[in-house]
Every structure is written in C-alpha cells, then in structure tokens.
Amino acid sequence: MRATRGAARAYILTAAVGALLCVLPALRTGAGTPWATVGLLTGLYLACELPRRCPFGSSVPISAGSFFPLLLAAAFLLPPAAAALVAIPGSLVGRVDTPPATARRVWRTAQLAVTVWAASSLHSLLAGAATLGGTGTERLPDLPYALLPACAAALAFSLVLTALDGSILVAAERLPVRRAWSGLLPRSLGPHLVHGLAGLMMAVLWRGPYGPLSALVVLLPMYISCWAFAQYHREHAAHRATVRALVQAVDIKDTYTRGHSERVGQASVLIARELGMDQGRLEVLRFAGILHDVGKLGVPTRVLRKDGPLTPQERRVIELHPEYGHEIVRGIGFLGEARAAILHHHERLDGSGYPYGLSGREIPESARVVAVADAFDAMTSTRSYRRGRPVPAALEELKRCAGTQFDPQMVRALLRAVDRHGWSAATTVVTADEAVLRQRSKGSADEGAGAGRGLVRPQSPDGLGDQVTPGPQSAEGRRR
C-alpha cells in the first residue's frame, strides 16, 4: 500500500466496522462470555507479538502469522464473538514496517478479527466444541472426528484471510481481480491447515484435566518453527549481502552508472508482476536486474570510463561483459534463471544482439524482461553528461523499438506498471561523479581556443546516449 487511496480507506473502514459487529455480541451484558479464557488467550497472543524476537536469540521479523495456532485455538475454545476479541490487542500493537502504519495496523486488526470469527462460527456450526473433551462426564476428546471441524475451521480461516488479502490489493493497488488473488490460496492453505492442527492440540490440552498450563506445551514447537524461520531469514539475508557486494563492486568500477543496477531490478519486478509471475520468480528477476551488468568487473576500467568513441576492439571487449557476468555468477545456485538473464539481456528480438545473436523466443523470458528494464532506466536516469529523458518519451521510444529490439509483451507490461505505480526516482538521480565532470569542463575550457571549443561530452557508458534505435549499430549495441 504505497499510499492509502480513497477506495482503500473506505474498504479498511468497512472491514473495521465488520470486525466491530463481530465482537459486539461478546460485550453485551448477559452474553456469558468466558472472560477468564479470553483474557488468558489474549494476553498470551499479545505476549507473543510484542517481543518480535526469536527466543533463541536471533532477531527475526515475526508477523501475526507466526502465532496463528493461538488464534485458531481461540476459535476452537470460544464462541465466535469472544474468539474475535483475542486477535485485537496483539494485532494493534504489532510492528508495522511500511507506511502508512496506522492504516495497515487497523486493516490487520480488522482482517484477523473477521477471519477468526468466521473460523469459530464454522467450528461451532459443526459442533466442534463438543469434540474437544473435558466437559461433563466426557473427558476424552472425540478423535478422529474432532479433526473434521478443526480442519474445516482452518480452511475457512485460510479462505477468508486470502480473500481479504486479495481484496485490499484490488482497492489499494488497483490490481486486476484475477491477478490480486493469483496464487494466494495455494501458498497459504497448507501452512494454515498445519496451524489448525497445532491449534486443535492446544485446545484439547486446554480443555483437558491439566488445564491451560498444559496447553503452553504447544508453544514449544511454535517457537522451534520461529527458529527455523530465523535460519531461513538469515540465509536470504546472506543472499542479499552477496548480491549487494557484487553490485557495489560494479558501482565503484563504473561510476557513470551508479544506482542503475538497483533501479533495473525494481523495473524488472514491476514488469514481472504485471505478467503475473509468482513471488519466487519476482525475487529472482529482481536479482537478475540488479546483477545484469556484473560482467563489467571483467572489462578494463579505462574502457568503461573512456570519454570518446570506442574503437572496434574496445567495443568487442565491452560486448563480452554478459559472458563475464555469467561466469562470475555461474556457481551461485540461488540465482536460478537470473543467470540466463545476465548472459542474454543484450540479445535482440530481431537477432542482431549479442553475445549469441538469439532471436524471438530463443531469448529467455527473464532476459527479455531485463532488457526492457535496462533500456528504460538508462533513458530516464539523469547523469552528469546529460539530463534524463521524460518518462513518457522513454516509453514511446520503447514502443517504437518493440518487435525489433524488445519483446512487445514486456514493453506493454512496463507501460501498465508505470501507469499504475509511476516512475520518478530515476529521473532525479545523478548517477555519475559531478565533481569529476566539473574538473573536466574546467580543463576543457582552459585549453579551448574560442567559444566554439568546450567540453568533450563523454559517451554514455550504458550505450544508450540519447535514444534507443533498432539498428544493429545503435548506441545501445555499441556500448552496453
């Protein structure tokens, strides 16, 4: 939610009203709400959400999803309105890293309250409470029948949660309806069913002869899961550190394009998201965009920073950088198809690109995405030797070259993404060292014999100069 649009604000307000209606019955006089159980579960959920640290000492971002078994246990043990109450305090105090924090916090609270209410309602409808044991003369849980209402409630929990997740994307990000829900349920259904079983175990122990204290035993596997997630998080942090180190090395060597790699990664993700790619591929394509020029580490610095036109031999050296890049990242397994994008992002649809002259669908999809993102940022970025082109002009140039140089599908995806999200950061960033340029300008002026002599403008290191042209001898083909 980059900004809370009017439709999103209205939707969040509607969800908040719905959550209030869900919990009101528990607050009425004479409702018979088991406040002792509500208080214990609410306090436990709140205590789990507050620390935001794994108890094994690893700092790790923990969301409400880390403790869904507690909410599902509340759905099994309590009437629907009382179960919805359990989710509210922990959700309200939970950490929000992305603005607008208040809107996100209110939305998350309303979403979880409604979701827990729905799960508890279905569990009650299927007489799930009677299967937990611990009441009257029936001390043992009714297994395996208790699994049926518990799994049904977990399924309802997953369906409602993903439905609300998708709908807020439609309202806040204006995503198409089908794309907003694409893949949400398959990714979440399995974990939610596991959470449901953990919640059932906790509810059975809670209702058993040893009471709530024994139910805390279930928290141990949840904390172990937290620790496992911390390891996963650390591994991904190591991946990002590897990528960041490579990018910094390129930026130090090729100062003209500093920041370019990060923006190409961002544009690649925008294109991939418009194409409906799943989250795993989005991350890989972000890496592909960020690392697309890593092969410049193998190109002599004097060639990268040369001010004048390149000789044919220097041009051939520059054109080796995709192969150098592929060799550098060949052994980095987590990059996946990003390696193909690094190798082939200078191939052209008409077959006149390099290094192998592939054409059409022979070019990997990831490389076609990065090619468009690379050209777009190169045209819109402001550098010390020229101003960035306006975004509309750059998009028109991409459209003109679609079908010969770029894949039209990727160009259309970028057009839709820019229309939806905008693109402003690249147009205000100077990516070269202006102090160096001023020194060059001063030296050129000192040596000039008249007004007609001035600064020799350096050729664009990304090869685009002022425009993208589809011919085989274009600036893009010469330098990038």
Side-chain angles (χ1 to χ4, degrees), residues 142-158:
D142 186 6
L143 294 174
Y145 180 74
L147 295 172
L148 176 60
C151 289
L155 177 60
F157 186 95
S158 186

Side-chain angles (χ1 to χ4, degrees), residues 151-370:
C151 289
L155 177 60
F157 186 95
S158 186
L159 287 171
V160 174
L161 193 66
T162 54
L164 292 172
D165 276 337
S167 61
I168 195 62
L169 291 176
V170 173
E173 300 286 353
R174 294 185 295 175
L175 285 181
V177 173
R178 185 178 65 177
R179 191 166 297 159
W181 278 284
S182 176
L184 282 179
L185 185 60
R187 287 196 301 269
S188 61
L189 185 57
H192 288 160
L193 287 174
V194 173
H195 292 157
L197 294 176
L200 175 62
M201 185 188 306
M202 189 171 185
V204 168
L205 291 172
W206 192 288
R207 293 279 294 271
Y210 298 103
L213 187 62
S214 64
L216 297 181
V217 175
V218 182
L219 289 179
L220 180 60
M222 279 195 286
Y223 278 122
I224 292 175
S225 298
C226 172
W227 176 81
F229 176 74
Q231 306 309 308
Y232 175 79
H233 177 74
R234 241 191 319 268
E235 182 181 352
H236 273 256
H239 293 172
R240 290 191 294 270
T242 300
V243 172
R244 188 162 54 249
L246 289 171
V247 171
Q248 286 174 345
V250 175
D251 285 347
I252 290 171
K253 184 165 187 174
D254 187 9
T255 56
Y256 281 113
T257 55
R258 185 169 296 152
H260 168 66
S261 297
E262 292 286 349
R263 294 191 300 273
V264 174
Q266 177 187 353
S268 298
V269 169
L270 289 177
I271 295 170
R273 186 177 287 124
E274 285 297 320
L275 296 174
M277 295 184 184
D278 61 43
Q279 189 61 40
R281 290 194 74 192
L282 291 183
E283 182 73 0
V284 169
L285 279 167
R286 187 175 74 85
F287 286 151
I290 290 174
L291 293 173
H292 73 286
D293 275 342
V294 70
K296 287 183 178 179
L297 293 174
V299 177
T301 304
R302 61 176 178 78
V303 176
L304 290 176
R305 299 187 181 184
K306 184 176 180 181
D307 288 345
L310 297 177
T311 66
Q313 182 180 4
E314 290 169 336
R315 188 162 57 245
R316 285 193 293 272
V317 171
I318 283 281
E319 290 179 357
L320 288 174
H321 82 268
E323 294 177 276
Y324 290 156
H326 185 257
E327 286 300 315
I328 290 171
V329 303
R330 180 192 292 270
I332 305 178
F334 69 84
L335 289 178
E337 64 178 323
R339 296 192 293 268
I342 292 168
L343 178 61
H344 296 295
H345 71 278
H346 282 301
E347 305 286 1
R348 298 161 58 110
L349 223 62
D350 60 7
S352 62
Y354 62 88
Y356 300 130
L358 303 183
S359 62
R361 296 292 172 177
E362 294 177 343
I363 305 171
E365 184 180 40
S366 57
R368 286 179 269 137
V369 170
V370 172

Side-chain angles (χ1 to χ4, degrees), residues 52-90:
R52 313 298 267 171
R53 285 180 178 272
C54 179
F56 293 94
S58 301
S59 177
V60 55
I62 299 175
S63 67
S66 303
F67 299 103
F68 278 167
L70 274 171
L71 298 182
L72 284 162
F76 301 154
L77 289 166
L78 297 168
L85 275 173
V86 172
I88 293 176

